[in-house]
Amino acid sequence: SFTLCPMFAVRSIEDITLNSDRCDALPPPLNICTLSIRTYFDEQTRQHEIFALSMRVFLGSNMEQFDENCVHTFISKPPSSTTLMCKDIPTDKITICHSERQLLTRFVRAVDLLDVDFISGYAMITNDIPLLFERMRVCKVQEWFKIGRINRDIPIKGNYVNKLLCFSGRIPVDIREGCVEFLKLKANDLSSIALQELGIKRQQID
């Protein structure tokens, strides 16, 4: 592996001092994307397939204040037993896809076009990332590498791919791991955490 960032070695942390002239500088603006993925179990293929993926992107976000954001939802073939709650979403924010492959292709293209820095989600590391890469492998998504910032001309093969390395240039953030590590929460699902920490009762959608 390699990096274009300058790197320095120091003997001790005491050798490092802050530049007082830049202590008040604001953090650089970042493009932050949050994901929400919905799946269903296909009885014929015996696999969980993605039929809806919603991304909320905070463009040029200042880490110290709330900024405007853009929302877009990609939908493919929902199972007949599933009801999609899209009535409050403007039609120009929804893309109807003909297949799961097209849904995933348009998603990674959007990540690349919006130049996302952080991709976050609940159980992102344990659930969303393995699911995304497995479905891109099965669907043979040619532009899968756009989920990161390094162009790759090889397809996803097998389960040996280092999924976090493939994000090269973007940082995946797992909200669940953050809640467990920093808030010391024992709750395992997002609804319980939202109720416990924010007093918000999430709407359950079947």
Side-chain angles (χ1 to χ4, degrees):
S1 60
F2 65 93
T3 176
L4 298 179
C5 299
M7 302 180 69
F8 307 92
V10 294
R11 294 180 180 276
S12 169
I13 191 67
E14 302 298 331
D15 295 335
I16 301 175
T17 57
L18 294 177
N19 184 344
S20 58
D21 295 334
R22 297 187 57 83
C23 286
D24 295 330
L26 293 174
L30 299 168
N31 296 330
I32 303 173
C33 172
T34 63
L35 290 184
S36 179
I37 300 175
R38 296 206 62 191
T39 65
Y40 75 100
F41 186 73
D42 190 305
E43 294 290 347
Q44 294 184 345
T45 63
R46 309 298 296 176
Q47 295 178 340
H48 288 278
E49 298 184 9
I50 298 173
F51 71 88
L53 190 157
S54 182
M55 59 188 302
R56 181 183 295 268
V57 182
F58 299 83
L59 295 172
S61 178
N62 180 341
M63 297 293 287
E64 300 185 4
Q65 68 182 29
F66 184 81
D67 294 319
E68 293 293 329
N69 59 85
C70 63
V71 180
H72 203 93
T73 300
F74 303 92
I75 300 173
S76 63
K77 48 175 186 179
S80 57
S81 60
T82 301
T83 301
L84 292 178
M85 308 294 288
C86 298
K87 61 181 180 180
D88 296 328
I89 305 177
T91 55
D92 63 331
K93 301 298 184 182
I94 299 177
T95 298
I96 304 298
C97 303
H98 300 298
S99 64
E100 184 183 19
R101 180 182 183 182
Q102 187 181 58
L103 180 153
L104 293 169
T105 297
R106 292 188 174 183
F107 163 65
V108 294
R109 285 177 179 174
V111 170
D112 181 59
L113 178 65
L114 296 173
D115 195 22
V116 169
D117 297 299
F118 288 83
I119 301 180
S120 69
Y122 189 81
M124 182 80 180
I125 304 297
T126 55
N127 293 347
D128 290 352
I129 291 179
L131 174 65
L132 282 170
F133 275 84
E134 172 61 16
R135 297 315 301 166
M136 287 194 291
R137 182 188 68 81
V138 172
C139 297
K140 298 180 179 179
V141 177
Q142 295 183 349
E143 298 176 55
W144 66 270
F145 56 85
K146 288 185 176 180
I147 202 167
R149 282 188 168 128
I150 294 181
N151 290 338
R152 306 174 191 269
D153 58 0
I154 58 174
I156 302 175
K157 296 180 180 179
N159 297 321
Y160 66 87
V161 174
N162 187 326
K163 301 173 180 61
L164 293 180
L165 183 62
C166 290
F167 272 82
S168 303
R170 309 189 207 281
I171 301 176
V173 179
D174 193 322
I175 298 173
R176 179 180 177 275
E177 289 191 358
C179 289
V180 172
E181 180 178 356
F182 298 109
L183 299 180
K184 308 301 181 184
L185 298 182
K186 296 182 179 179
N188 194 43
D189 63 283
L190 183 57
S191 295
S192 298
I193 291 177
L195 183 62
Q196 178 179 332
E197 294 298 312
L198 304 175
I200 298 175
K201 187 174 182 180
R202 296 180 69 240
Q203 179 181 6
Q204 299 296 323
I205 302 176
D206 297 325

